[in-house]
Amino acid sequence: MGGRHPFLKNSVVIGAHPDDELLWFSSILRDVDEVVIVYRDFWAQPGLGGARSAAIADYPRANVTCLDIAESGAYGCADWRDPVLTEHGIGLGIEVGKREATRLARKSLSALRAIDGGRIASSSTAELYARNFTRICAALETRLRPDMNVFTHNPWGEYGHEEHIQVFRALQLLRDKIGFKLWMSNYCTERALPLAMRYFTDAPESYVRLPTDKAFAQEVADIYKKHGCWTWADDWSWFDEECFMPAPRAETPAAAHRHLFPLNFFTIGDGPQRKWLPIALTMSAASAAIAATIAESM
């Protein structure tokens, strides 16, 4: 690749999950000074955290670390037709209530040894999500300086991931407090577009366009696959280029003509949906929920 771009001076990529850094920042992944990954463990997959640690230890570049914060499991809980931003990230909708019903049913069953208690979250998804925001801010505040260029997820979470948005919102808050320059990625899907459109501006803004480093990205992807913690599609093809733009400080007001920098727009298949249990409103509904949980755990 060419010479190091000036905006990579005192630079760090901060990605939510292991493999986010190579999916959305491959053009700069080899050249930034540091890579920080936020989440490691996930209660629903007890071995995932250890596999991710092994992959990071095997990383083909130096200065890659993890904050070791456990995932909340909030993916898929927001109402993406009408997303509402909150102080902790994005508002979680009716799906989070369904998941809490599942958690409580499983917690009851674990006491009877019907299912493995290690696969049950210690708190509700909403509680974990809110708590993680404070943890992220506390862990990153001492590591960031005013002279840094910080690269992270965009405010719509690329393909609409609630934890990506949480990381962006935490860094948005820290930028105002510390004063570093915050840059965002340019990936988007149709799921996240209703939120992305709120960040269109009334005049085109400057951005940096760089060629992706497909060879290095594939090298890192192979390490994640080797350790059994690759979470993305095996047939993923990297774009030829990606763009970075200074992150906005707020949603922009509507205007007659609005612009956003060029997007790497892609789509992802729905895939098999997780069968979270309905909220049990009656004794018969509760019984059905428990029966479904037992069946699902076998």
Side-chain angles (χ1 to χ4, degrees):
M1 298 183 67
R4 195 169 188 253
H5 196 283
F7 80 161
L8 293 177
K9 182 180 179 181
N10 300 327
S11 57
V12 57
V13 163
I14 300 179
H17 312 90
D19 74 17
D20 282 329
E21 79 285 358
L22 66 106
L23 289 169
W24 323 122
F25 309 96
S26 72
S27 63
I28 60 173
L29 180 59
R30 192 200 296 261
D31 296 323
V32 291
D33 296 311
E34 185 181 4
V35 177
V36 176
I37 298 166
V38 174
Y39 306 107
R40 186 177 76 100
D41 294 316
F42 181 35
W43 59 267
Q45 296 175 258
L48 183 61
R52 285 170 163 175
S53 292
I56 291 170
D58 203 14
Y59 219 92
R61 58 149 290 164
N63 296 328
V64 179
T65 58
C66 184
L67 300 183
D68 294 337
I69 294 173
E71 294 183 43
S72 62
Y75 178 60
C77 287
D79 179 1
W80 285 98
R81 294 166 298 182
D82 186 22
V84 177
L85 296 177
T86 70
E87 60 179 329
H88 301 128
I90 189 170
L92 306 180
I94 190 171
E95 178 64 24
V96 79
K98 296 177 182 178
R99 295 188 187 184
E100 178 60 2
T102 301
R103 187 182 76 87
L104 293 176
R106 287 181 172 176
K107 187 174 181 181
S108 297
L109 287 168
S110 68
L112 302 174
R113 301 179 183 270
I115 62 172
D116 179 10
R119 296 178 68 89
I120 303 170
S122 59
S123 302
S124 71
T125 297
E127 290 171 333
L128 291 172
Y129 189 67
R131 199 178 304 156
N132 276 352
F133 183 84
T134 302
R135 289 172 175 166
I136 294 167
C137 290
L140 290 175
E141 184 170 358
T142 58
R143 301 178 65 146
L144 301 177
R145 306 183 308 275
D147 63 343
M148 295 181 79
N149 285 287
V150 179
F151 298 84
T152 196
H153 302 280
N154 50 48
W156 52 90
E158 283 81 38
Y159 55 97
H161 197 306
E162 290 80 351
E163 289 176 330
H164 293 190
I165 291 173
Q166 181 171 72
V167 171
F168 173 83
R169 299 280 286 174
L171 285 166
Q172 191 177 41
L173 178 68
L174 291 175
R175 173 185 58 185
D176 293 342
K177 188 173 185 179
I178 298 171
F180 53 80
K181 191 157 190 178
L182 186 61
W183 299 83
M184 69 180 189
S185 68
N186 73 320
Y187 292 84
C188 188
T189 67
E190 72 283 0
R191 168 190 172 95
L193 192 57
L195 182 54
M197 290 181 68
R198 299 181 190 176
Y199 294 91
F200 280 51
T201 57
D202 58 1
E205 295 195 21
S206 60
Y207 58 88
V208 177
R209 187 197 304 265
L210 294 173
T212 53
D213 190 342
K214 299 180 185 180
F216 187 66
Q218 189 59 59
E219 182 181 353
V220 179
D222 289 341
I223 289 172
Y224 281 119
K225 292 174 183 178
K226 168 184 155 185
H227 291 282
C229 54
W230 174 248
T231 63
W232 203 240
D234 287 333
D235 61 351
W236 173 253
S237 295
W238 276 267
F239 286 79
D240 291 333
E241 297 176 317
E242 46 192 22
C243 301
F244 299 97
M245 174 180 156
R249 295 189 177 272
E251 299 170 71
T252 53
H257 304 286
R258 295 189 293 161
H259 310 77
L260 194 61
F261 64 161
L263 293 175
N264 282 355
F265 203 88
F266 66 101
T267 187
I268 53 177
D270 292 334
Q273 295 297 312
R274 185 74 169 81
K275 294 183 178 179
W276 297 98
L277 301 178
I279 298 175
L281 300 178
T282 65
M283 286 300 293
S284 59
S287 298
I290 291 173
T293 299
I294 294 175
E296 190 180 66
S297 67
M298 294 179 175

